[in-house]
Amino acid sequence: MGINELEYKRLLSELKFKNEELEIIEESMPDIMIDFDQYYKSFLNENNISKDDLEQSKTPQFKDLKSRMSATQPETDETGIVVLEQPSDEDKEAKKVFAKLYKDIVKKCHPDRLSTDNMEYFNKMNTRFKAATWGYNNSKWSIVIKIAEELGIKPSNYKKMNGHLRREVKSVDEKIQKHKSTYGWKLYQTEEKVAKDQVIKDFIYKLFRRRV
């Protein structure tokens, strides 16, 4: 086993761990934010602070928050069709690198190449095909690789793939750190009331520029 293949396996392992961590965090965040909102309101009541008065704030930070919260609809063109984010040059280059691996998956999994005599097998392979296609189209290379491994398909160029896997690891890690930088997560991580109250005080100052 060469050094590039070893690095490839290490990156896959790291990416698998980070994807699992991100999935757990994203599943937990709605409950974490509900708990934050409840503690925030309780803190305001305990300290006789009016939530309505705070939210009349004209600070740029609060205006920005309200703007981001209201921007729930995806951008559309003049016909009403959702405007999709254009792939970057790096994504285009990565698609070229992973094209052979994806084509090998298609050869084994495309519905048109499968017999319907065994529907359980057909559905299993079709699910793999759909997952690989989604991963390929959305630059989620770990998904494409996972399907390839399940089918016994090996990459032809570990070195080139490693560069794009590093980029995916970095992207997933940035999403994790973004969640962990929220005040909801900070509150979730604390146990003592004094520490929890300090998180809320920091949140109020950050958003409304008011010392409590």
Side-chain angles (χ1 to χ4, degrees):
M1 185 183 294
I3 189 169
N4 289 320
E5 186 175 356
L6 278 172
E7 176 67 0
Y8 167 84
K9 290 183 179 297
R10 185 195 68 79
L11 286 167
L12 278 184
S13 178
E14 182 180 4
L15 190 53
K16 180 177 182 292
F17 175 82
K18 287 189 177 294
N19 275 322
E20 289 173 351
E21 182 181 7
L22 179 61
E23 183 179 352
I24 291 170
I25 290 173
E26 289 182 338
E27 287 176 353
S28 303
M29 284 308 292
D31 288 336
I32 287 173
M33 296 313 297
I34 288 172
D35 290 344
F36 175 86
D37 188 57
Q38 290 175 344
Y39 196 92
Y40 170 59
K41 289 175 180 177
S42 175
F43 176 89
L44 295 181
N45 288 333
E46 286 179 10
N47 291 275
N48 297 314
I49 300 171
S50 168
K51 185 172 183 287
D52 290 337
D53 288 348
L54 279 179
E55 293 181 355
Q56 293 302 315
S57 170
K58 305 295 184 182
T59 64
Q61 292 83 358
F62 187 58
K63 288 180 180 179
D64 179 61
L65 175 65
K66 289 196 292 185
S67 174
R68 284 188 280 115
M69 289 176 66
S70 64
T72 55
Q73 295 299 319
E75 182 184 355
T76 60
D77 63 16
E78 65 276 8
T79 67
I81 296 175
V82 174
V83 177
L84 299 176
E85 184 179 347
Q86 294 300 309
S88 66
D89 289 341
E90 288 178 323
D91 287 336
K92 292 176 182 177
E93 177 59 30
K95 279 197 171 185
K96 294 178 184 177
V97 173
F98 283 88
K100 184 179 185 305
L101 196 66
Y102 175 67
K103 287 176 182 177
D104 288 342
I105 292 172
V106 171
K107 289 175 183 177
K108 290 193 174 186
C109 290
H110 195 285
D112 291 346
R113 294 174 176 266
L114 300 173
S115 168
T116 56
D117 292 343
N118 185 336
M119 288 307 299
E120 183 179 353
Y121 178 78
F122 177 91
N123 291 332
K124 182 179 180 180
M125 297 298 278
N126 190 36
T127 298
R128 284 172 169 168
F129 167 72
K130 289 179 179 179
T133 299
W134 186 90
Y136 184 74
N137 290 335
N138 291 279
S139 303
K140 303 297 182 184
W141 310 121
S142 57
I143 294 176
V144 178
I145 290 170
K146 178 177 180 293
I147 301 300
E149 286 186 334
E150 289 174 357
L151 296 169
I153 301 170
K154 287 192 173 184
S156 58
N157 192 323
Y158 290 110
K159 186 175 181 179
K160 286 186 177 180
M161 286 187 177
N162 288 347
H164 297 294
L165 286 176
R166 288 189 197 98
R167 181 168 164 246
E168 189 173 348
V169 168
K170 181 180 178 182
S171 174
V172 174
D173 190 56
E174 285 173 351
K175 290 177 182 178
I176 291 171
Q177 297 311 316
K178 185 175 181 180
H179 284 304
K180 289 185 175 181
S181 70
T182 63
Y183 285 95
W185 182 266
K186 291 176 183 178
L187 187 73
Y188 166 72
Q189 289 291 89
T190 59
E191 295 182 3
E192 300 296 330
K193 186 177 187 305
V194 173
K196 287 180 177 291
D197 286 354
Q198 188 59 53
V199 171
I200 299 300
K201 289 176 183 179
D202 292 344
F203 170 75
I204 291 172
Y205 181 73
K206 175 73 174 180
L207 205 56
F208 306 112
R209 286 296 185 264
R210 176 170 168 177
R211 294 288 186 189
V212 179

